[in-house]
């Protein structure tokens, strides 16, 4: 579903992604962990083509990036992204937030967009909040609305960049539960998170990044219980 080969990226002098190779299979859940500043967000943003790369190639569902014009719009529709900050439109109801892209981009009919949006709000457990504006929701509910909004575009792949980092602790689980059920339904997912319990339970593979490089890739049991690199061991000793 996603393939990165030799991806390099600089911000000026700073070499943020160093020869990244990564394949994500359909229905696979890859959890990316690593210290702050190691390039995790940049990696997500390059997959979604929010950031250009300097070298290498990225394919999403076989399609080579860089894409432009209509191709780029299609690519963006195929790749859902959920950020730490919920990025909902504050002046629109939750339902309208979820209906917006299907109406504008997919040219869905209003009736179809509405019934699909309600089904998605049901799925993330906030159908009763459909007519509220985001400010009337808790952080956990807002993040679930943001997930529903992404899913409304029928993405082939979902990128999550620290989706629970801005939440009060008691709201983390409700968001992780939605993500866990998405994974169980077969969604292909790349998840940047510091939630090691989620990584252990839900990831097919854990990718550990440090200083712009992929240092270690392993199934979670192996990664957590038989960590190979000193860099990852030291990281884990600080977060576990
Ligand atoms: P992470 O998500 O792992 O914390 P990031 O991908 O956000 O790391 O950042 C990697 C490095 O790139 C950091 O040193 C960060 O300061 C730098 N960086 C990120 N975005 C930009 C940008 N737009 N311009 C310049 N430097 C950036
Ligand atoms: Mg980040």
């Amino acid at each position: 579903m996603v393939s990165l080969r030799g991806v390099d990226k600089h911000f000026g002098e700073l070499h943020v992604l160093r020869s990244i190779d990564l394949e994500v299979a359909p229905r696979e859940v890859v959890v990316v962990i690593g210290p702050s500043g190691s390039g995790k967000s940049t990696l997500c943003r390059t997959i979604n083509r929010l950031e250009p790369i300097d070298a290498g190639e990225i394919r999403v569902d076989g399609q080579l990036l860089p894409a432009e014009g209509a191709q780029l719009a299609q690519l963006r529709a195929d790749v859902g992204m959920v950020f730490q900050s919920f990025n909902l439109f504050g002046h629109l109801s939750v339902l309208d937030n979820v209906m917006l892209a299907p109406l504008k981009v997919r040219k869905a009919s209003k009736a179809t967009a509405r019934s699909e949006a309600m089904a998605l709000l049901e799925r993330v457990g906030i159908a009763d909040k459909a007519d509220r504006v985001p400010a009337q929701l808790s952080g956990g509910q807002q993040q679930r609305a943001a997930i529903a909004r992404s899913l409304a575009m029928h993405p082939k792949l979902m990128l999550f960049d620290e989706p629970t980092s801005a939440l009060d602790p008691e709201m983390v689980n409700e968001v992780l539960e939605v993500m866990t059920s998405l994974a169980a339904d077969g969604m292909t997912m790349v998840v940047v998170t510091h939630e090691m319990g989620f990584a252990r339970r839900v990831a097919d593979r854990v990718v550990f990044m440090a200083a712009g490089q992929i240092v270690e890739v392993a199934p979670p049991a192996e990664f957590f219980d038989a960590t190979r690199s000193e860099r990852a061991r030291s990281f884990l000793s600080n977060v576990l």
Side-chain angles (χ1 to χ4, degrees):
M1 189 58 74
V2 186
S3 153
L4 293 91
R5 299 258 169 85
V7 171
D8 264 284
K9 166 83 186 164
H10 295 76
F11 285 117
E13 300 280 275
L14 195 65
H15 199 171
V16 274
L17 295 179
R18 297 167 183 257
S19 199
I20 298 285
D21 293 313
L22 180 65
E23 310 269 335
V24 183
R27 307 174 73 88
E28 192 179 20
V29 178
V30 169
V31 168
V32 180
I33 66 174
S36 176
S38 55
K40 307 180 298 296
S41 293
T42 306
L43 179 72
C44 287
R45 293 168 58 80
T46 60
I47 294 173
N48 204 14
R49 212 170 175 275
L50 292 166
E51 292 285 356
I53 58 175
D54 303 330
E57 63 171 51
I58 302 178
R59 288 175 193 268
V60 173
D61 198 19
Q63 202 178 44
L64 190 63
L65 280 67
E68 333 182 285
Q71 207 193 357
L72 179 58
Q74 183 57 49
L75 172 85
R76 291 259 167 82
D78 286 346
V79 182
M81 186 149 178
V82 173
F83 303 87
Q84 182 173 335
S85 54
F86 321 123
N87 295 106
L88 294 164
F89 297 107
H91 61 292
L92 294 179
S93 72
V94 167
L95 181 65
D96 285 337
N97 265 280
V98 179
M99 287 172 64
L100 190 63
L103 287 175
K104 299 275 183 222
V105 183
R106 274 183 35 224
K107 312 288 183 205
S109 74
K110 204 155 187 188
T112 304
R114 191 187 170 83
S115 66
E116 281 193 16
M118 281 310 299
L120 286 169
L121 291 176
E122 197 79 57
R123 182 170 175 190
V124 302
I126 52 167
D128 58 325
K129 308 291 183 212
D131 297 323
R132 306 280 178 86
V133 292
Q136 295 171 312
L137 270 58
S138 73
Q141 291 165 342
Q142 288 185 56
Q143 193 58 303
R144 287 186 280 154
I147 294 171
R149 190 180 59 174
S150 270
L151 293 175
M153 287 301 284
H154 303 175
K156 294 175 177 168
L157 163 75
M158 286 286 287
L159 302 172
F160 292 88
D161 189 2
E162 299 200 28
T164 61
S165 294
L167 298 177
D168 291 333
E170 73 270 24
M171 292 170 188
V172 168
N173 276 338
E174 65 192 50
V175 172
L176 294 179
E177 274 166 24
V178 167
M179 293 165 61
T180 303
S181 92
L182 263 183
D185 288 347
M187 177 62 79
T188 308
M189 297 170 38
V190 174
V191 182
V192 178
T193 188
H194 297 296
E195 294 293 331
M196 299 299 147
F198 176 85
R200 205 184 251 281
R201 279 194 311 277
V202 182
D204 294 304
R205 284 185 299 155
V206 174
V207 167
F208 175 74
M209 285 185 75
Q213 281 177 310
I214 292 181
V215 174
E216 194 161 340
V217 183
E222 186 182 326
F223 178 77
F224 288 108
D225 300 331
T227 317
R228 288 192 300 267
S229 65
E230 185 48 47
R231 191 72 191 78
R233 266 199 297 278
S234 129
F235 174 78
L236 287 174
S237 73
N238 286 320
V239 295
L240 290 177

